[in-house]
Amino acid sequence: MKEEVRASRAASRKRKRLWQTVTVLALIVSLVGVIAFAALMDTKKSAVPETDDIATESVNNESEAAEEGEPEAESDESAGTYVYIAAPYTKVFADDRVTVMYEADLGDRFKQLEAVSGFVKLQLNERTTGWVTEAQVTTEATSVSDDDVTEAWKSVVPAADASTLDVLGQDIESVRAKLGASKAVQRDQVNEYHFYDGFFLMVRDQQVKAIDWDRQAVATPDVTATSSQNAGSWYEGETRQLKLFPYDGVMRVRLEQK
C-alpha cells in the first residue's frame, strides 16, 4: 500500500515538473514572437515618412501651387498720374456717373485717381472729385516752349498787357490787392471766376489758374497745336497752355498755368 502511495506522489511530481516546463517554454515562445513582431513592425514603419511630415509637405506644396497659379492683383498704374481733357465742353459727372456737375475745357489737366468700367475719376480741386469717360481723356500732349505759347497768345490778343501774366499762379488775395476788387464773381463746383475790364480770372484752390479774354477776333497762331478741333484748339507749353474756343464769329482765349 505504501508503495502505491509513493508511486502516485512521484507521478504527480513528474506531471507538475512537465507542466512547469511546458509553461516556461510557452512563455519563451510567446516572448520571442512578440519581439519578432515588434521588429517587423519597426522595419515597416521606417520605410514610411512620419504622418506629420506628410501633412506638412502636402500643405506646403498646395500653398506653393496656389501662389504660383494665382495671378497677382492688377493695380491701376494710371492712378496718381495726370491726364488731359481731350475734347472741348467735356461733361464731368458726380459719383452717380449720371448727374453732370461740371463742364471741362479742352486741355484741362487733372490728377487721375482711379479707372472703373470705362470711367476715370479725377481730382478737380482740393475738395472735389468727378468722373469722365475714358474716351474723353488722354495722357499724350505734345508741347512747345513757354516762349512759343506767349508769342502765340500775343498774336491772338494783341491789345492785352503782358504784365497781366504776372498774376498767373498767385493767390487771389494778393492779386486783388494789386488789381482791386473784381466787378463780379461767379462760382461753379470747381472754380471761381473774377471779372475785370476786358478779362476774367479763373481761380482754383485760392490761386489764379487762368486768364480769359472773351469776344476776341478769330485768329490762328503760327505754332503747331497740340490738338485742333472745330470747337477749340489747345497749345501745350512747358508750364503754360493756350486755348482758343471759337463761337459765333468770335472766340474766347484762355492762358492757363499748369
Side-chain angles (χ1 to χ4, degrees), residues 148-160 213-223 233 235 242-245 250-255:
D148 288 338
V149 169
T150 301
E151 290 303 313
W153 163 71
K154 289 179 178 178
S155 71
V156 296
V157 190
W213 294 264
D214 199 6
R215 305 188 65 80
Q216 300 297 304
V218 176
T220 302
D222 187 20
V223 62
S233 298
Y235 302 83
L242 176 65
K243 303 172 184 179
L244 311 177
F245 301 103
V250 294
M251 68 179 182
R252 175 169 60 89
V253 177
R254 168 169 290 182
L255 192 64

Coordinates of all heavy atoms in Angstrom, one line a residue, residues 148-160 213-223 233 235 242-245 250-255:
D148 N 7.0 130.2 -76.9 CA 6.2 130.0 -78.1 C 4.7 130.2 -77.7 O 3.9 130.8 -78.5 CB 6.4 128.6 -78.7 CG 7.7 128.5 -79.4 OD1 8.2 129.5 -79.9 OD2 8.1 127.3 -79.6
V149 N 4.3 129.7 -76.5 CA 3.0 129.9 -76.1 C 2.7 131.4 -75.9 O 1.6 131.9 -76.3 CB 2.7 129.1 -74.8 CG1 1.4 129.5 -74.1 CG2 2.8 127.6 -75.0
T150 N 3.6 132.1 -75.3 CA 3.4 133.5 -75.0 C 3.3 134.3 -76.3 O 2.4 135.2 -76.5 CB 4.6 134.1 -74.2 OG1 4.7 133.4 -73.0 CG2 4.4 135.6 -73.9
E151 N 4.1 134.0 -77.3 CA 4.1 134.6 -78.6 C 2.8 134.3 -79.3 O 2.2 135.2 -80.0 CB 5.3 134.2 -79.5 CG 6.6 134.8 -79.0 CD 6.6 136.3 -78.9 OE1 6.1 137.0 -79.9 OE2 7.1 136.8 -77.9
A152 N 2.3 133.1 -79.2 CA 1.0 132.7 -79.8 C -0.1 133.5 -79.1 O -1.0 134.0 -79.8 CB 0.8 131.2 -79.7
W153 N 0.0 133.7 -77.8 CA -1.1 134.4 -77.1 C -1.1 135.9 -77.6 O -2.1 136.5 -77.8 CB -0.8 134.3 -75.6 CG -1.5 135.4 -74.8 CD1 -2.8 135.4 -74.6 CD2 -0.9 136.5 -74.2 NE1 -3.1 136.5 -73.8 CE2 -1.9 137.2 -73.5 CE3 0.4 137.0 -74.1 CZ2 -1.7 138.4 -72.8 CZ3 0.6 138.1 -73.3 CH2 -0.4 138.8 -72.7
K154 N 0.1 136.5 -77.7 CA 0.2 137.9 -78.1 C -0.4 138.1 -79.5 O -1.0 139.1 -79.8 CB 1.6 138.4 -78.1 CG 2.2 138.5 -76.7 CD 3.7 139.0 -76.8 CE 4.3 139.2 -75.4 NZ 5.7 139.6 -75.5
S155 N -0.2 137.0 -80.4 CA -0.7 137.2 -81.7 C -2.2 137.1 -81.8 O -2.8 137.6 -82.8 CB -0.1 136.1 -82.6 OG -0.7 134.8 -82.3
V156 N -2.9 136.5 -80.9 CA -4.4 136.5 -80.9 C -5.0 137.5 -80.0 O -6.2 137.7 -80.1 CB -4.8 135.0 -80.6 CG1 -4.4 134.1 -81.7 CG2 -4.4 134.6 -79.2
V157 N -4.3 138.0 -79.0 CA -4.8 139.1 -78.1 C -3.8 140.2 -78.1 O -3.1 140.5 -77.1 CB -5.0 138.6 -76.7 CG1 -5.8 139.6 -75.9 CG2 -5.8 137.2 -76.7
P158 N -3.6 140.9 -79.2 CA -2.6 141.9 -79.3 C -2.7 143.1 -78.4 O -1.7 143.8 -78.0 CB -2.7 142.4 -80.8 CG -4.1 142.0 -81.2 CD -4.4 140.8 -80.4
A159 N -4.0 143.4 -77.9 CA -4.2 144.5 -77.0 C -3.9 144.2 -75.5 O -4.0 145.1 -74.7 CB -5.6 145.0 -77.2
A160 N -3.7 142.9 -75.2 CA -3.5 142.5 -73.8 C -2.2 143.0 -73.3 O -1.2 143.1 -74.0 CB -3.6 141.0 -73.7
W213 N -9.8 136.0 -72.1 CA -10.2 137.2 -72.8 C -11.4 136.7 -73.7 O -11.1 135.9 -74.6 CB -9.1 137.8 -73.6 CG -8.0 138.3 -72.8 CD1 -7.8 139.6 -72.4 CD2 -6.9 137.6 -72.2 NE1 -6.7 139.8 -71.7 CE2 -6.1 138.6 -71.5 CE3 -6.5 136.3 -72.2 CZ2 -4.9 138.2 -70.9 CZ3 -5.3 135.9 -71.6 CH2 -4.6 136.9 -70.9
D214 N -12.5 137.3 -73.6 CA -13.7 136.9 -74.3 C -13.9 137.8 -75.5 O -13.4 138.9 -75.6 CB -14.9 136.8 -73.5 CG -16.0 136.0 -74.1 OD1 -15.8 135.3 -75.1 OD2 -17.1 135.9 -73.5
R215 N -14.6 137.3 -76.5 CA -15.1 138.0 -77.7 C -13.9 138.6 -78.5 O -13.9 139.8 -78.9 CB -16.1 139.1 -77.4 CG -17.3 138.6 -76.6 CD -18.4 139.6 -76.4 NE -18.9 140.0 -77.7 CZ -19.9 139.3 -78.4 NH1 -20.4 138.2 -77.8 NH2 -20.3 139.7 -79.5
Q216 N -12.9 137.8 -78.7 CA -11.7 138.2 -79.5 C -11.9 137.8 -80.9 O -12.7 136.8 -81.2 CB -10.5 137.5 -78.9 CG -10.1 137.9 -77.5 CD -9.8 139.3 -77.3 OE1 -9.0 139.9 -78.0 NE2 -10.6 140.0 -76.4
A217 N -11.3 138.5 -81.8 CA -11.3 138.2 -83.2 C -10.7 136.8 -83.5 O -9.7 136.4 -82.9 CB -10.6 139.2 -84.1
V218 N -11.3 136.0 -84.3 CA -10.8 134.7 -84.6 C -9.5 134.8 -85.3 O -9.4 135.5 -86.3 CB -11.8 133.9 -85.5 CG1 -11.3 132.5 -85.9 CG2 -13.2 133.7 -84.8
A219 N -8.5 134.1 -84.8 CA -7.2 134.1 -85.4 C -6.5 132.8 -85.1 O -6.9 132.1 -84.2 CB -6.3 135.3 -84.8
T220 N -5.5 132.5 -85.9 CA -4.8 131.2 -85.7 C -3.3 131.5 -85.5 O -2.7 132.1 -86.4 CB -4.9 130.3 -86.9 OG1 -6.3 130.0 -87.1 CG2 -4.2 129.0 -86.7
P221 N -2.7 131.2 -84.4 CA -1.3 131.5 -84.1 C -0.4 130.6 -85.0 O -0.8 129.6 -85.4 CB -1.1 131.2 -82.6 CG -2.2 130.2 -82.3 CD -3.3 130.6 -83.2
D222 N 0.8 131.2 -85.3 CA 1.8 130.5 -86.1 C 2.6 129.5 -85.3 O 3.8 129.6 -85.1 CB 2.7 131.5 -86.8 CG 3.6 130.8 -87.9 OD1 3.2 129.7 -88.3 OD2 4.6 131.4 -88.2
V223 N 1.9 128.5 -84.7 CA 2.6 127.4 -83.9 C 1.7 126.2 -84.0 O 0.5 126.3 -84.1 CB 2.8 127.9 -82.5 CG1 1.5 128.1 -81.8 CG2 3.6 126.9 -81.7
S233 N -9.0 124.8 -79.9 CA -7.6 124.5 -80.2 C -6.8 124.6 -78.9 O -7.1 125.5 -78.0 CB -7.0 125.3 -81.2 OG -7.6 125.2 -82.5
Y235 N -2.8 124.5 -77.1 CA -1.4 124.6 -77.3 C -0.7 124.4 -76.0 O -0.8 125.2 -75.0 CB -1.0 126.0 -77.9 CG -1.7 126.3 -79.2 CD1 -3.0 126.8 -79.2 CD2 -1.0 126.1 -80.4 CE1 -3.6 127.1 -80.4 CE2 -1.7 126.4 -81.6 CZ -3.0 126.9 -81.6 OH -3.6 127.2 -82.8
L242 N -2.2 127.5 -73.9 CA -3.0 128.5 -74.6 C -4.2 127.7 -75.2 O -4.0 126.7 -75.8 CB -2.3 129.2 -75.7 CG -3.1 130.2 -76.6 CD1 -3.6 131.4 -75.8 CD2 -2.3 130.7 -77.8
K243 N -5.4 128.2 -75.0 CA -6.6 127.6 -75.5 C -7.5 128.6 -76.3 O -7.7 129.7 -75.7 CB -7.4 126.9 -74.4 CG -6.6 125.9 -73.6 CD -7.4 125.5 -72.4 CE -6.6 124.5 -71.5 NZ -7.3 124.1 -70.3
L244 N -8.0 128.2 -77.4 CA -8.8 129.1 -78.2 C -10.2 128.4 -78.5 O -10.2 127.3 -79.0 CB -8.1 129.4 -79.6 CG -6.7 129.8 -79.5 CD1 -6.1 130.0 -80.9 CD2 -6.5 131.1 -78.7
F245 N -11.3 129.1 -78.1 CA -12.6 128.5 -78.3 C -13.5 129.4 -79.1 O -14.0 130.4 -78.6 CB -13.2 128.2 -76.9 CG -12.4 127.3 -76.0 CD1 -11.7 127.9 -75.0 CD2 -12.4 126.0 -76.2 CE1 -10.9 127.0 -74.2 CE2 -11.7 125.1 -75.4 CZ -10.9 125.7 -74.4
V250 N -16.6 134.9 -83.1 CA -15.5 135.4 -82.2 C -14.9 134.2 -81.5 O -15.3 133.1 -81.7 CB -16.1 136.5 -81.2 CG1 -16.5 137.7 -81.9 CG2 -17.3 135.9 -80.4
M251 N -14.0 134.5 -80.5 CA -13.5 133.4 -79.8 C -13.1 133.8 -78.4 O -12.8 135.0 -78.1 CB -12.3 132.7 -80.5 CG -11.1 133.6 -80.6 SD -9.7 132.7 -81.4 CE -8.4 133.9 -81.3
R252 N -13.1 132.8 -77.5 CA -12.6 133.0 -76.1 C -11.2 132.5 -76.1 O -10.9 131.4 -76.5 CB -13.5 132.3 -75.1 CG -13.0 132.4 -73.7 CD -14.0 131.9 -72.7 NE -14.4 130.5 -72.9 CZ -13.8 129.4 -72.4 NH1 -12.7 129.6 -71.6 NH2 -14.2 128.2 -72.7
V253 N -10.3 133.3 -75.5 CA -8.9 133.0 -75.4 C -8.5 132.7 -73.9 O -8.8 133.6 -73.1 CB -8.0 134.1 -76.0 CG1 -6.5 133.7 -75.8 CG2 -8.3 134.3 -77.4
R254 N -7.9 131.6 -73.6 CA -7.5 131.3 -72.2 C -6.0 131.0 -72.2 O -5.5 130.2 -72.9 CB -8.3 130.1 -71.7 CG -7.7 129.6 -70.4 CD -8.7 128.6 -69.7 NE -9.9 129.3 -69.2 CZ -10.8 128.7 -68.5 NH1 -10.8 127.3 -68.3 NH2 -11.9 129.3 -68.1
L255 N -5.3 131.7 -71.3 CA -3.9 131.4 -71.0 C -3.9 130.8 -69.6 O -4.4 131.5 -68.6 CB -3.1 132.7 -71.0 CG -1.6 132.4 -71.0 CD1 -1.1 131.7 -72.3 CD2 -0.8 133.8 -71.0

